[in-house]
């Protein structure tokens, strides 16, 4: 039986307008999967739920909403999309990004490739690398973003415990980690092949406009050079693009 999945997000205030545009671009691209959104106003063509008050610090609200709300829905997989995402075309195979893993997070930066003293949003990355290794990551640790990720319903509880647990361990160590680091850690604990989940190894699925190349116009369908501020880059032609204005830094 073919796996059932939905897209989901949290969109309140101005984010609701961005989510409405996201869904509109999806429908225009021929994407007719369901969108389930926690929000404070109705959004056309979405299944909407009241968003209760939730502390958004560090982005952990995404995990709290997943566990408390989305996990009750009858889908095999849940695909998070940031409200500021646009669909440039219908993705070839969203769940293909999983491989044999129960979740997918686009990994962007291999921490062992960075120079000593490198930081990201105030986090000393050599310490993040060492913490991930101490907590069980056996290969070269990676970081990614939290603008797009996929999880199978059967591992939601495990993923939640791993990601939130990493955040707590980082806090105890004096590291200002966010949900992105937690998600990357959880993925690496739940898959034997993190390399498959590198953003540049899934070039036709998703990317974030980290360098604001498309502030004034969207990609024209041709491949382009994705660049991470820490120096990583690769050629991509994603079906889903997270626009720069919606990339949250903590």
């Amino acid at each position: 039986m073919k796996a059932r999945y939905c897209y989901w997000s949290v969109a309140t205030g101005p984010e609701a307008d961005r989510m409405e545009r996201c869904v509109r671009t999806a429908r225009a691209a021929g994407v007719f999967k369901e969108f389930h959104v926690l929000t404070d106003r109705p959004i056309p063509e979405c299944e909407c739920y009241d968003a209760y008050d939730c502390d958004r610090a560090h982005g952990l609200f995404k995990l709290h909403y997943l566990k408390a709300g989305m996990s009750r829905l009858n889908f095999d997989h849940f695909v998070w999309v940031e409200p500021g995402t646009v669909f440039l075309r219908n993705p070839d195979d969203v769940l293909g990004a999983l491989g044999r893993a129960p979740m997918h997070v686009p990994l962007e930066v291999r921490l062992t490739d960075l120079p000593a003293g490198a930081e990201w949003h105030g986090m000393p990355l050599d310490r993040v690398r060492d913490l991930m290794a101490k907590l069980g990551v056996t290969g070269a640790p990676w970081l990614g973003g939290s603008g797009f990720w996929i999880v199978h319903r059967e591992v939601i509880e495990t993923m939640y415990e791993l990601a939130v647990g990493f955040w707590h361990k980082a806090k105890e160590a004096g590291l200002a980690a966010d949900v992105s680091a937690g998600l990357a850690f959880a993925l690496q604990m739940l898959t034997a092949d993190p390399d498959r989940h590198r953003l540049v190894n899934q070039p036709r699925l998703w990317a974030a406009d980290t360098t604001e190349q498309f502030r004034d116009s969207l990609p024209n369908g041709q491949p382009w050079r994705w660049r991470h501020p820490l120096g990583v880059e690769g050629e991509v032609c994603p079906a889903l693009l997270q626009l720069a204005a919606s990339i949250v830094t903590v």
Side-chain angles (χ1 to χ4, degrees):
M1 182 179 295
K2 192 171 183 180
R4 297 184 67 243
Y5 69 90
C6 71
Y7 294 98
W8 76 284
S9 194
V10 178
T12 58
E15 293 173 337
D17 293 332
R18 292 195 286 270
M19 195 70 227
E20 183 173 343
R21 178 182 60 180
C22 174
V23 177
R24 188 168 60 247
T25 62
R27 300 305 185 227
V31 176
F32 295 102
K33 291 293 183 181
E34 293 179 26
F35 282 77
H36 291 258
V37 184
L38 293 118
T39 182
D40 54 4
R41 73 161 175 84
I43 301 176
E45 299 200 49
C46 293
E47 297 293 329
C48 296
Y49 312 88
D50 289 335
Y52 56 82
D53 290 337
C54 186
D55 184 0
R56 291 202 173 201
H58 314 292
L60 296 177
F61 71 94
K62 298 177 183 181
L63 301 177
H64 300 326
Y65 276 124
L66 173 70
K67 180 181 176 181
M70 290 300 106
S71 62
R72 300 180 182 182
L73 300 180
N74 187 27
F75 292 95
D76 301 308
H77 296 87
F78 298 88
V79 183
W80 167 273
V81 287
E82 206 69 32
T85 299
V86 293
F87 283 71
L88 304 175
R89 64 175 185 279
N90 196 336
D92 300 327
D93 180 12
V94 172
L95 300 185
L98 293 163
R100 295 184 178 181
M103 66 178 294
H104 169 69
V105 178
L107 300 177
E108 300 174 350
V109 178
R110 184 162 49 197
L111 298 181
T112 51
D113 292 344
L114 300 176
E119 292 191 357
W120 181 239
H121 303 324
M123 293 189 298
L125 294 181
D126 52 350
R127 293 183 60 198
V128 175
R129 176 200 63 209
D130 294 345
L131 180 61
M132 285 190 175
K134 179 181 178 180
L135 295 178
V137 174
T138 56
W142 287 82
L143 280 185
S146 65
F148 174 86
W149 42 280
I150 307 169
V151 63
H152 193 288
R153 67 175 302 111
E154 291 184 356
V155 298
I156 287 176
E157 185 74 27
T158 301
M159 185 202 76
Y160 180 91
E161 291 177 357
L162 286 168
V164 175
F166 179 82
W167 181 84
H168 282 293
K169 290 294 185 182
K171 184 179 180 181
E172 290 172 8
L175 293 170
D178 63 7
V179 70
S180 300
L183 285 169
F185 173 75
L187 171 67
Q188 291 169 93
M189 295 298 289
L190 292 172
T191 181
D193 185 18
D195 193 65
R196 176 186 177 87
H197 299 271
R198 293 177 60 196
L199 185 151
V200 296
N201 286 344
Q202 306 280 350
R204 292 183 55 79
L205 181 53
W206 172 91
D209 183 17
T210 54
T211 54
E212 301 188 33
Q213 299 180 64
F214 304 107
R215 175 180 290 275
D216 299 318
S217 61
L218 295 178
N220 60 6
Q222 298 301 311
W224 45 276
R225 296 298 293 181
W226 169 81
R227 295 180 180 85
H228 191 280
L230 287 171
V232 183
E233 63 179 73
E235 188 173 87
V236 299
C237 188
L240 286 75
L241 178 67
Q242 183 184 352
L243 299 178
S246 69
I247 300 174
V248 178
T249 58
V250 178

